[in-house]
Amino acid sequence: MDLALSDLLVEYELAARTNLTQAAFDYIAAGAGDELSLEESRAAWRRHRLRPRIFRGVVAPDLSTEILGTPLAMPLLVAPTAYQIVAHAEGEVETARGISAATGLMVVTTRATRVLEEIAVELRGPWWYQVYVLKDRRLTAELVRRAAALGARALMLTADTPYIGFKRRGHFAPVSFEQHLVNFSTHLTPGATFEDVTAGINQDVSISLETIAWLRDIAGLPVVVKGLLRADDAVACLDAGAAGVVVSNHGGRQLDRAIASAVALPEIVTAVEGRCPILVDGGIVSGADVFVALALGAAGAMVGRPILWGLAAAGAQGVQRVLDGYRDELDHAMGLAGVATIGDFGRDLLV
Ligand SMILES: Cc1cc2nc3c(=O)[nH]c(=O)nc-3n(C[C@H](O)[C@H](O)[C@H](O)COP(=O)(O)O)c2cc1C
């Protein structure tokens, strides 16, 4: 470890400010409304204190794990983030290079600005596909089948974004209509009007619990529901066929004043009773934050903006350094707390 991850992230965010247009920077940085959820997300992880174990003979912690049949070198996933072309000219392709170099796991967004096939080529390890169910259900089904055919190992159905949360800055991503359509155009009906296309690629506000099994059956892949903050919703998703859940308030970008994911996580862990893996994201900016998430019962954590700052500042190398930073800090904390493997995490590690 040559530098604290927090210092690296500050450096990268500053570089992103310089490298990006104001519109691009704001699109990434923004939270919804008064940005209260955004502000609180980091602080909620930092409130926890640890109870380290001694004499556990931990020589070299083993960070590897498996989630829904996907092997991971560490319990950290790269969260799906739309329109990565705003952060780097090569967009998701460059991100994929950095993730592969760090043996990480990418969740590729429906709103990618590079062609899925080009991204998949760069991903040397397993990857997952995030699903926005679009008003055009045929388009959604075709995209999901395409991702499955390209090797996606699981689907992540985003549930908290029936439409885009209002943001005072950066509400719209500075991308062209063509960039928006990069992955959709081959599926569109020839001669469709601009209005039809625009309406069809918006999110479907009417998605419901039934959407989970619909997607699972189309793709033959496990479906993880992303964007819930309540125990009753988590249990309902599992009963409806979900294979996992992601506790998330979308990085504070959807409903402002929604509770922090670190606050929501414990009640969901209790209610789920080990029936499925639980992932969590939002404001996770250090290995210690990941440690707290795992001690609270998460199977893994996801990170969004830190990866985009790395991408904007230093391309694939930046992405790799950010992921390496999380790995080094988690490794360090596990060693000092006497935690040998991911399976050894438990609530006893927290006050
Ligand atoms: C610029 C940006 C774009 C995002 N796009 C998506 C998306 O396309 N699909 C999705 O499910 N979540 C999206 N998210 C939410 C992330 O997946 C994740 O929940 C959030 O970024 C986690 O918080 P963090 O940025 O503090 O790590 C986006 C987040 C950001 C910052």
Side-chain angles (χ1 to χ4, degrees):
M1 226 161 48
D2 55 349
L3 184 70
L5 178 59
S6 51
D7 292 336
L8 182 69
L9 293 179
V10 168
E11 186 188 309
Y12 278 173
E13 187 174 334
L14 279 173
R17 235 180 235 282
T18 312
N19 295 353
L20 304 183
T21 62
Q22 186 73 42
F25 180 85
D26 283 347
Y27 170 68
I28 296 168
D34 292 335
E35 302 194 341
L36 296 179
S37 294
L38 174 63
E39 272 170 31
E40 285 167 10
S41 60
R42 285 187 187 197
W45 294 112
R46 295 169 73 96
R47 274 199 285 275
H48 289 277
R49 293 294 172 272
L50 310 181
R51 299 174 65 235
R53 304 169 184 151
I54 60 164
F55 293 150
R56 304 301 159 114
V58 181
V59 178
D62 178 4
L63 274 62
S64 67
T65 187
E66 192 182 298
I67 302 179
L68 297 174
T70 300
L72 287 104
M74 64 170 158
L76 191 82
L77 289 74
V78 174
T81 56
Y83 311 125
Q84 292 175 17
I85 203 96
V86 309
H88 190 281
E90 295 274 298
E92 293 79 6
V93 166
E94 186 73 4
T95 313
R97 290 180 185 130
I99 294 171
S100 291
T103 57
L105 186 128
M106 182 171 187
V107 186
V108 178
T109 168
T110 292
R111 306 232 178 260
T113 38
R114 290 294 298 266
V115 176
L116 275 179
E117 285 71 8
E118 291 172 352
I119 304 168
V121 163
E122 298 294 339
L123 290 169
R124 292 196 291 272
W127 56 283
W128 293 6
Y129 183 67
Q130 177 266 339
V131 184
Y132 276 134
V133 174
L134 309 174
K135 284 195 182 130
D136 183 341
R137 290 288 183 111
R138 182 191 54 82
L139 172 58
T140 310
E142 287 184 14
L143 283 168
V144 161
R145 286 197 194 98
R146 182 170 151 203
L150 285 168
R153 297 270 195 101
L155 299 180
M156 188 172 281
L157 166 63
T158 300
D160 60 8
T161 315
Y163 45 87
I164 307 295
F166 172 71
K167 297 175 197 70
R168 289 168 157 167
R169 54 171 175 155
H171 181 78
F172 295 106
V175 292
S176 68
F177 195 53
E178 286 68 34
Q179 286 168 333
H180 205 104
L181 290 186
V182 154
N183 278 294
F184 305 155
S185 44
T186 51
H187 304 278
L188 297 174
T189 315
T193 64
F194 176 79
E195 286 73 24
D196 284 347
V197 171
T198 315
I201 63 174
N202 280 333
Q203 270 113 260
D204 184 351
V205 183
S206 75
I207 56 169
S208 65
L209 286 170
E210 284 81 65
T211 311
I212 299 169
W214 177 69
L215 279 176
R216 182 196 59 202
D217 296 343
I218 286 173
L221 292 175
V223 175
V224 177
V225 177
K226 171 173 184 274
L228 51 85
L229 295 163
R230 300 167 53 112
D232 54 358
D233 280 341
V235 171
C237 287
L238 290 189
D239 291 344
V245 293
V246 186
V247 180
S248 171
N249 65 18
H250 212 109
R253 295 167 72 82
Q254 284 298 104
L255 177 65
D256 193 28
R257 298 184 192 238
I259 57 172
S261 48
V263 173
L265 179 61
E267 86 168 59
I268 293 171
V269 169
T270 303
V272 161
E273 294 176 323
R275 284 169 66 195
C276 76
I278 298 171
L279 301 170
V280 65
D281 73 14
I284 292 174
V285 292
S286 69
D289 293 339
V290 179
F291 186 101
V292 169
L294 299 176
L296 286 173
M302 299 206 303
V303 289
R305 291 182 189 82
I307 297 297
L308 297 177
W309 300 141
L311 178 67
Q317 203 199 0
V319 171
Q320 180 184 359
R321 278 192 72 190
V322 170
L323 287 171
D324 287 348
Y326 281 102
R327 193 200 52 222
D328 290 349
E329 288 192 353
L330 179 62
D331 177 273
H332 190 68
M334 285 172 67
L336 290 179
V339 181
T341 69
I342 300 306
D344 289 341
F345 273 93
R347 278 302 284 267
D348 64 285
L349 290 161
L350 300 176
V351 179

